[in-house]
Amino acid sequence: MDGTTNEGAAGADRYPPAATTVGPRASLVMSLPLGLLLGALSLLVMLPAAQHLRSLQGGERAQATLHTAGSCMAGHCQVKFEAGGRTVIADLPVGSGGGKQSVGASLAVRYQADDPQVAAREEDVGGGGAAVLAALSGGAALLFLTVAAVAAVFLARQRGSEA
C-alpha cells in the first residue's frame, strides 16, 4: 500500500505466482456442460415460449391488472381480468415482460377465447423478448461448444504427440 514491494522479503520466493490460465482439460470440462445447458435453454424453453406468445396475437383483448408481481420473464407473474362475464386470474407465460411494474398496474392482455387461463401481455405477443433471449442463449451455447471442441482437439493432439 505504501508503494514498496516484498521482493527482498524473507520467504517471498517460496510462493510461485498465481496461475492465470485454464488448461485445455478444465476448459473442456467447464465449456461442454455450459454449452449444452445454454443450448437446451434456447431450444427447449425460450423458442417454445416465443412461439406460444406469437400464438396469442389473434386472441381476445382485455384490460387487466397485475395481480402478482415477480420475475415475469421466468413466468412468475399473474394478471386479473374479466373474460366471458367472470373474473380470471391467469399466469403470464415464460418470456413475458413487465416485471418492473407494481401490483395493481393496468395493462392490456390477449387471451384464448376458449381458455382464458392462457393469456399474455399485449406487448409480448410478438414473441420478441423470448426470441431475443433464445438467440442470445443459443449464441452463447455455440461459443461454449466451440471452446469445448477446440479444447478436445488440443487434448487429442497433445495425446498423439506423447505416444
Side-chain angles (χ1 to χ4, degrees), residues 13-160:
D13 57 346
R14 273 191 262 165
Y15 301 104
T20 57
T21 60
V22 176
R25 184 169 285 119
S27 242
L28 179 64
V29 168
M30 289 185 293
S31 297
L32 185 61
L34 193 55
L36 293 174
L37 182 68
L38 286 168
L41 173 69
S42 180
L43 292 173
L44 301 176
V45 177
M46 297 317 295
L47 279 178
Q51 291 170 346
H52 172 68
L53 288 168
R54 279 189 218 107
S55 74
L56 292 169
Q57 281 180 330
E60 300 291 323
R61 185 178 192 279
Q63 272 308 116
T65 57
L66 192 60
H67 184 271
T68 305
S71 177
C72 294
M73 188 57 75
H76 296 292
C77 287
Q78 292 181 323
V79 290
K80 181 178 177 180
F81 60 95
E82 295 287 326
R86 65 184 180 109
T87 301
V88 177
I89 297 176
D91 293 328
L92 291 178
V94 171
S96 298
K100 295 183 180 184
Q101 294 178 334
S102 58
V103 172
S106 180
L107 55 128
V109 294
R110 294 276 180 172
Y111 65 93
Q112 288 181 350
D114 57 339
D115 186 8
Q117 292 291 326
V118 179
R121 285 183 347 135
E122 192 168 41
E123 295 89 16
D124 296 331
V125 295
V132 166
L133 282 177
L136 288 175
S137 63
L142 287 175
L143 174 73
F144 283 110
L145 291 174
T146 301
V147 168
V150 168
V153 167
F154 183 80
L155 283 171
R157 286 185 177 176
Q158 191 176 27
R159 283 188 185 156

